[in-house]
Amino acid sequence: MLEHIFKVPSEKNLIRPPGAPDEIEFLLTCQRCGKCAQACEHGSIKIAGGDTGAAVGTPFLELRKSYCRMCMRCVAACEHGILKKVDGRLKIGVAKIDKRFCPAWNGVVCMTCHSYCPEGAVELDSELRPQVNEKCTGCGLCESMCVKYPSIKVVRSDSIWL
Amino acid sequence: MKLSRRDFIKACAASAALSLATGTAKADMNLIAPDPEIDRWVKTVCCYCANGDPLLAGIKNGRVVAVKGDPSSPVNFGRICIKGMTLPKVLYAKDRALKPMIREDASKKGTVEGFEEATWDEALSVIVSRFKEIIKTHGSDALAFYVTGQFYTETHIVLNKLVKGLIGTNNYDANARLCMASAVGGYEKTLGSDAPPGAFADMEETELFFIIGSNMAEMHPSTFYRVVNQKMNKGAKAIVVDPRKTPTAVVADLHLRAKRLGTDVALMNAMAHVMISENLIKQEFIDKHVTGFDQYKKFILGESGLDQKYMDDPAGALKNEHFAPFNYSPENVETITGIPAEHIRKAARIFARAGTVMSFWIQGLNQSTHGVWNNAAINNLHLITGNIGRPGACAFSHTGQANAMGERETGSLAAFLPAHRLVTDKKDREEIEKFWGVPGGSISSKPGYTALDIQYAALKGYLKALTIWGTNPGTSMADINAWRDAMKRMFVVSIDCFHTTESSLYADVILPAAMQWAEQTGCFTNSERRVQISEKAVDPPGEAKADWEIVLLLAQKLGYGEYFKKYRTTEDIWNDWRPMSTGMYCDMTGISYKRLRELPGIQWPCFDENHSGTVRRYTDFKFTTDRLDEPHTPGFKASLVLTPHREPAEVPDQDYPFYMTTGRCYEHYHTRTKTGKVSDIHYSVPRAWVEICTEDARRLGIGNDRWVVIESRRGRFTARSWITDRVLPGTIFVPFHFGKVSDLDGGTEGRKEPESTANLATNPRYDNFSRQPEFKCSAVRIKLA
């Protein structure tokens, strides 16, 4: 039911700041105050515009422009406690490789995502083609470094619009 | 089974992902336009690194719109890298130089102001009248030409003729001085002649890769692909020596990380120590084909009684005290390098016990104040283990630029003449004067100023005019502050396919050139001595002209037109060059344009039109030392060179406690005049960074992604911090790509950011023999901006 009320276009693929709850809960509870975006020193957090339906005013990460350093300043800035401190491993999304665009899957020797990944989450096969494993935290460093965007892109791992 | 909506969506997504994963990824490398839309494919060679990857340029409506690899090529089997793939975008970049420009107000040097468009005739007249005036008052040695290893061989041939043969100065140096000069010295001292003995084909035969001072995963990706393939398919091992944990080092079976930089000679001497003391050397090979082993053994084991003639160093860099007995045992060398003795032993044993070893190295060894000894030391290892002249056994010095090899062959360095001849040799000069048809005695016997000497000679007032052609020393030269001062004191002509670059900011006259790739025809020699032809695919934009045409115009204006009348196409120039190489090491007599167009390149020496080229040199173990006049190298035997360890020119101290090493990244090439114009690449890696290890960052209170000031005794620059364990404590790494104006946003100046030119801080001290500066090691201090 709620999915129909909150019609967020799925192609927008809004990645939420670290510590955000389930998408529906987030849409219901987020006060749209914009404090997290102000707190983000790296300019990763943007505010969704009118073309995002019910998500208008909510914060999302623009990882292509600036990846998430997971510094948690946004969590500290969230006065309403919507963004919560996470114990253990953070995961804000998961990187997906689009083999139609990815140079490495099309005969080019390119290992950018592999060599920049801080988590070792991008593995190479014997043909030097990348694959994302379960270590991915969705920080988006690979997406920001990728030479042939959108070969690798962070998508939401836990939402109904996967 | 009951499916909720959520499960259903999940299942759909999973099946979509599965179909993507199993779906056949198109084997085509063309990512810009689909095949059927292309009018024709033109065979070219990539103008970036010296792999010489053949590229097929797809033309549509007179524009290059696509690039793909050529799967039939024996160089790379169709694999290319992202830089080659995005070349079409460089052709149509916004800041291509389109018209000649003149700046009369010299006080505006260093800025983009004051340039006025002119015709070719006007611009050439200004250049020629200034040149003639300078020659009249100061002599022709007051002119200098600083060119590039990305020229076609043909351009080098005509420009050499003009500068060395007719203008009469040897102040003609190429940027390979910053790149390959030490390798030339190393090969000549040990094997007798320049150029790698083996070929890329050895990679499919070898049992061990010894990669030292080379980050081939990022710099030569298609070669790295073959290394990984050989590891996967035939179980080859790889030893990587690099202070950084580069993507190359990730695949290593053994990674040796020096804590103290510039100590490679000590490491390799220690490996020789292990091989000799554990008797892992090939004594039979040494007895038959190598001289100087007794002395070498004494030297490595630290015994006294070395023969004086082995200690002679023509460049005067080494003195007797450097040869004081020192035992290069792994334990002693551990204190020098910081590499555990056990690892050194292990590396030496793997090296010596492998049936075949292929070594790769590049700037990590070359860019050093003892670069020639670095090169000699690795060649020594190959000689004492007999790893040369057999399939899979090769000491392979990679080159960094598309035609760095061609430049060495055509004698485009300050002390050389075509085909590895020397300006100091009377017979060589006479031969070349005859080939060129210039009057006897035209070629000066005095070696010219090399890259770095040019800037210091200018500061002292010896040089009055400099022509910078196809290269960007404004970012790539060591000690940029001195370089900028020097440029302000000279009449500077900048000939390049781009304006603005850091170098053209200091120009008095700018001439627009065609891009080396796809806009002119010519030949490149790649690292494995393979000569390949790269065809013109499209016309250059605006009034830009091919480099060789500009040489001819300049010659005509200077009054030497008759010497160049016979050259109507680049093929005429090539045919003029072939006989010059006859009988020399780089014999290209049998390489014609016709054969190059039919074959996937030919490896020199190629003696006649029926000869298929030489894959491996020295297969008969006849080393070319017969031409050396050193007393300890009798004919046809390779020579072991004594390589004492010396510290780099600058080591960290209390004031400047960090080692700074510079290098490149996968996305960019050199000073980004090309790659900075590709939006995909530029916006992925727009600004410089400094790699600092976690421990140092914590101690200094530097967070990730902050502006950090890096300061040396010579200058300071800023870069964004990257806290990473790629580097060891006490070492920082900075890419040297990032100049102040040339990229899509107008560089750091355009973005109003602090300047990030790493070479503001690098050390201009050079190897006395090869004159190659020590980019890889300088002492710096860092702090938050």
Side-chain angles (χ1 to χ4, degrees), chain B residues 684-727:
Chain B
S684 295
V685 189
R687 51 174 71 81
W689 71 90
V690 46
E691 292 176 15
I692 307 171
C693 99
T694 324
E695 197 182 312
D696 290 332
R698 200 176 298 133
R699 192 162 49 81
L700 295 167
I702 297 173
N704 212 356
D705 208 14
R706 308 278 152 171
W707 285 110
V708 173
V709 178
I710 298 116
E711 196 173 4
S712 79
R713 288 183 176 84
R714 293 154 297 276
R716 53 191 279 165
F717 66 98
T718 352
R720 300 291 280 188
S721 63
W722 179 17
I723 314 302
T724 170
D725 290 326
R726 274 188 173 200
V727 287

Side-chain angles (χ1 to χ4, degrees), chain B residues 352-575:
Chain B
R353 285 177 186 153
T356 46
V357 183
M358 189 169 188
S359 297
F360 279 102
W361 70 94
I362 184 166
Q363 313 312 12
L365 293 194
N366 294 345
Q367 291 178 338
S368 161
T369 43
H370 41 271
V372 174
W373 279 266
N374 280 341
N375 276 272
I378 190 161
N379 290 339
N380 284 347
L381 287 184
H382 276 262
L383 289 176
I384 60 173
T385 54
N387 270 308
I388 206 150
R390 290 180 290 131
C394 166
F396 197 101
S397 151
H398 238 131
T399 41
Q401 297 187 89
N403 202 24
M405 289 285 293
E407 174 204 289
R408 280 144 78 173
E409 290 143 19
T410 53
S412 301
L413 293 166
F416 291 93
L417 287 171
H420 298 145
R421 290 177 173 91
L422 298 167
V423 294
T424 44
D425 189 315
K426 188 156 181 280
K427 190 171 140 273
D428 285 356
R429 284 201 306 275
E430 282 169 0
E431 276 174 17
I432 291 297
E433 279 160 358
K434 225 166 98 194
F435 277 120
W436 282 344
V438 298
S442 300
I443 302 174
S444 163
S445 62
K446 191 180 130 204
Y449 292 120
T450 62
L452 271 160
D453 293 327
I454 287 175
Q455 76 192 42
Y456 295 113
L459 287 175
K460 285 184 185 150
Y462 302 151
L463 280 179
K464 299 293 174 195
L466 173 66
T467 306
I468 302 169
W469 202 324
T471 178
N472 186 14
T475 304
S476 60
M477 197 63 83
D479 194 6
I480 292 287
N481 281 327
W483 184 88
R484 285 178 185 161
D485 271 359
M487 291 309 108
K488 285 184 181 162
R489 296 177 191 207
M490 282 191 285
F491 173 71
V492 179
V493 181
S494 164
I495 309 177
D496 205 303
C497 37
F498 297 102
H499 171 66
T500 318
T501 67
E502 287 77 7
S503 303
S504 72
L505 286 180
Y506 291 87
D508 295 278
V509 180
I510 290 173
L511 298 178
M515 255 224 353
Q516 278 94 355
W517 182 74
E519 289 181 354
Q520 36 184 323
T521 300
C523 297
F524 281 148
T525 312
N526 78 355
S527 283
E528 54 162 358
R529 296 170 281 106
R530 185 183 296 275
V531 181
Q532 298 181 99
I533 190 163
S534 180
E535 305 277 3
K536 178 175 172 173
V538 289
D539 285 326
E543 293 177 24
K545 287 183 194 297
D547 293 305
W548 67 277
E549 288 174 323
I550 300 175
V551 180
L552 264 51
L553 284 174
L554 196 59
Q556 212 163 24
K557 207 73 182 173
L558 279 163
Y560 302 123
E562 54 177 311
Y563 296 100
F564 295 86
K565 252 193 304 199
K566 56 181 171 178
Y567 307 130
R568 293 186 188 283
T569 60
T570 49
E571 188 167 358
D572 297 337
I573 306 175
W574 182 259
N575 289 336

